[in-house]
């Protein structure tokens, strides 16, 4: 079974994680989630960037998540949400 992963963040750290995930044959990226989704690019490497508000509507499209944010305080805040 292929693992569908959502990446929280849309910055450089998230892009590095995406590159590593794309190397794995049994892992796929579902989409990126970012607080500023409407202000950033709509897609990264061809994958959608959605807002946290849209995450609830797309909850069934992934089975794993990874936080792609370098700032530890922001990462902890995302984890607690």
């Amino acid at each position: 079974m292929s693992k569908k992963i959502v990446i929280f963040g849309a910055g450089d750290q998230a892009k590095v994680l995406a590159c590593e995930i794309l190397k794995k044959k049994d892992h796929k990226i579902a989409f990126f989630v970012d607080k500023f989704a409407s202000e950033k690019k709509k897609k990264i490497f061809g994958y959608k960037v959605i807002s946290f508000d849209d995450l609830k509507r797309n909850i069934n499209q992934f089975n794993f998540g990874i936080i792609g944010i370098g700032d530890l305080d922001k990462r902890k805040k995302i984890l607690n949400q």
Side-chain angles (χ1 to χ4, degrees):
M1 182 177 148
S2 178
K3 296 178 183 175
K4 292 183 181 177
I5 301 172
V6 63
I7 299 175
F8 292 90
D12 292 336
Q13 184 70 31
K15 291 174 187 171
V16 169
L17 285 170
C19 287
E20 293 303 313
I21 291 168
L22 292 171
K23 290 179 184 178
K24 302 280 189 180
K25 294 186 187 256
D26 61 339
H27 293 67
K28 294 184 179 184
I29 297 171
F31 47 82
F32 292 81
V33 179
D34 194 79
K35 180 178 173 181
F36 304 106
S38 62
E39 298 172 19
K40 292 193 177 197
K41 295 179 184 176
K42 299 282 184 190
K43 291 189 175 187
I44 297 174
F45 303 137
Y47 298 95
K48 288 191 292 185
V49 180
I50 65 169
S51 68
F52 281 95
D53 294 334
D54 293 333
L55 182 60
K56 289 182 182 179
R57 285 185 260 148
N58 293 287
I59 200 84
N60 293 325
Q61 294 185 19
F62 66 95
N63 45 16
F64 291 95
I66 188 165
I67 301 173
I69 298 172
D71 184 288
L72 293 176
D73 292 327
K74 289 180 183 177
R75 190 181 311 167
K76 187 175 179 181
K77 185 178 176 182
I78 298 290
L79 179 63
N80 289 332
Q81 287 179 346

